[in-house]
Structure formats: C-alpha cells, structure tokens
Amino acid sequence: MKKIGIIGAMQVEIDLLINKVQNLTKFTYAGFPFYHGELFSNEIIITNSGVGKVNAAACTQLLIDQFSVYSIINTGIAGSLDEAVKIYDVVISSDVTHHDVRVEQKKNLFPFQETFQADKQLIELALQTCAYLKLNSTYHLGRIVSGESFIEDIEEKTRIVKNYAPACVEMEGSAIAQVAHINKVPFVIIRSISDNADENTTLDYKKYEEMAANQSAQIVLGMLSEMKWP
C-alpha cells in the first residue's frame, strides 16, 4: 500500500476528504495538521498547508519527510485566467509555474525550471475521473500559475495572461510542484474555479468557494477509488 499525500490550502478544501477517511489519526508538525488513515485501500495523508507559497512549500516538504508519500495531489479552488474556463469549471495541471518570479531567475537559479510538469499518470487518472463523474461543468487540462497575492486587479490579470497563457491562478500550486520536483515525487494539481480573478472576485469567491472546493475534493475521491499502482 503506497502513501498518497493530499494538500489543501484551507480547511474547506479538505473537510469532505477527511470525513471519508477510515482509522483517522491526526499529527501536527511545525503547526501543520496531518490527517492519516485509509481510503479505498490507499494509505492517505491529508494536510492543510495554509494560504500562500511559503506555507505550501514548508508543508509539502514536511509531508514528504515525515510520511514518505509516493505521490501528491493538491486540491482546491482557483481564479480563471482564460475566457474558456468558467466559474465552477475544473482545471487539471499540465504544468505549473510561479507568475511572480522572473523567467531569468527560474531558468538560471536552482532548481533551473521555468515550469514543473505534472505526472502523466496522475493527469490521465484525473481526466478519466472527470469524464466518469459526468460533472455539471467543463474540465480543462492546462497551465496553472501561482503567486503570493490574491488576484483581483484587471491589470495584474492581463500581465499574467500575456506572460504565461495559463488556465487559472492560485497561491500554492507552484510551490507544491517545486518541492515535489526536487524530491522526485509525482504530483498533480486539481482546481475548481471560484472566480474570474477580476474586480468581482471577492463577491464570486464568497459565493462559490465551498461549492468549488467540494467539487475538487469529489474528483480526488474519484481518483483514489481508481488508483492501482504497479
């Protein structure tokens, strides 16, 4: 039985998952909660990283060091950066990058990566799960970008879209991806859209946050039910 790590930035993003876990035990390391148990014959460790890339990176490294997870799934919500990606749609990461770090810095400094590629097996499993669940929304495979700020300014949104052509934006995925990459741990990011990263973001976010978070968690549950490792 291989260990699967699941990371959400907020409790609302992981509550549905925690409530399904059998033989649940809670651990705390450096202030981060880790929920350990079994789900669909998989050994699961679910954690709440808190918001932002620094928190996400620290939490991801602890998850790897303390539990030796085989793979990582990041679940949660995000803001759309593509007109084709609507509120309540789902984005599965093809690759992930920081939108608030210069390209030259990413290329020339450790770990020398402009983007971090999600695991092909996990991507395929996520796509198959979305198709099987027959979601009341559209699912997309695309780039996800992350930064240390909540995007609700149209000028900032335009800059990010011009430079990176992403499907959506959030605040943790690229940090999780970078830590997974340097530790050689397969990962995928699953995000359900809660807003359009514009001047209406705050209102949309409050309205759709829980619904979008639960949809992402439902996809993770579907993936776990089908996971068969060699």
Side-chain angles (χ1 to χ4, degrees), residues 102-117:
R102 290 185 304 141
V103 172
E104 292 79 8
Q105 183 176 338
K106 288 184 282 189
K107 287 167 55 177
N108 297 321
L109 299 177
F110 180 83
F112 311 105
Q113 294 286 131
E114 287 188 55
T115 68
F116 301 96
Q117 300 296 316

Side-chain angles (χ1 to χ4, degrees), residues 8 54 65 72 89 100 113 118 138 145 155 169 173 182 188 190 197:
V54 175
D65 289 343
I72 292 173
D89 278 5
D100 54 357
Q113 294 286 131
T138 304
V145 295
E155 290 185 5
V169 61
I182 64 177
V188 70
I190 311 291

Side-chain angles (χ1 to χ4, degrees), residues 56-228:
C59 186
T60 304
Q61 190 63 58
L62 282 167
L63 177 65
I64 294 169
D65 289 343
Q66 297 294 334
F67 297 97
S68 301
V69 293
Y70 176 76
S71 59
I72 292 173
I73 303 172
N74 174 218
T75 180
I77 59 179
S80 172
L81 292 182
D82 186 328
E83 290 184 358
V85 180
K86 308 300 184 183
I87 289 179
Y88 202 52
D89 278 5
V90 172
V91 177
I92 299 160
S93 62
S94 56
D95 63 315
V96 193
T97 192
H98 312 286
H99 70 72
D100 54 357
V101 178
R102 290 185 304 141
V103 172
E104 292 79 8
Q105 183 176 338
K106 288 184 282 189
K107 287 167 55 177
N108 297 321
L109 299 177
F110 180 83
F112 311 105
Q113 294 286 131
E114 287 188 55
T115 68
F116 301 96
Q117 300 296 316
D119 179 72
K120 292 182 179 179
Q121 184 179 3
L122 290 173
I123 290 173
E124 187 60 31
L125 181 58
L127 291 171
Q128 290 174 358
T129 300
C130 288
Y132 172 78
L133 290 176
K134 298 180 180 179
L135 303 173
N136 293 321
S137 56
T138 304
Y139 57 95
H140 310 261
L141 176 65
R143 173 172 292 169
I144 296 177
V145 295
S146 313
E148 287 284 12
S149 58
F150 188 66
I151 304 302
E152 52 186 339
D153 177 82
I154 194 65
E155 290 185 5
E156 181 69 359
K157 176 178 180 176
T158 300
R159 180 194 67 81
I160 296 170
V161 170
K162 179 181 177 180
N163 290 337
Y164 297 100
C168 67
V169 61
E170 34 86 316
M171 298 176 66
E172 298 83 27
S174 63
I176 293 167
Q178 180 166 334
V179 174
H181 171 81
I182 64 177
N183 285 277
K184 296 181 172 59
V185 175
F187 77 90
V188 70
I189 315 292
I190 311 291
R191 294 283 178 162
S192 186
I193 301 301
S194 61
D195 59 83
N196 288 313
D198 57 18
E199 64 277 3
N200 295 315
T201 288
T202 300
L203 291 176
D204 289 340
Y205 178 88
K206 290 178 180 179
K207 182 177 180 180
Y208 295 106
E209 174 191 19
E210 184 174 357
M211 185 170 66
N214 285 339
Q215 177 172 242
S216 183
Q218 287 285 3
I219 294 167
V220 175
L221 284 174
M223 292 173 66
L224 294 172
S225 71
E226 295 298 318
M227 277 188 170
K228 297 178 178 62

Side-chain angles (χ1 to χ4, degrees), residues 30-64:
F32 295 105
F34 295 88
Y35 304 88
H36 176 272
E38 296 179 14
L39 192 56
F40 301 114
S41 301
N42 295 300
E43 187 174 356
I44 303 296
I45 302 93
I46 304 170
T47 183
N48 177 348
S49 70
V51 173
K53 293 196 299 178
V54 175
N55 282 331
C59 186
T60 304
Q61 190 63 58
L62 282 167
L63 177 65
I64 294 169

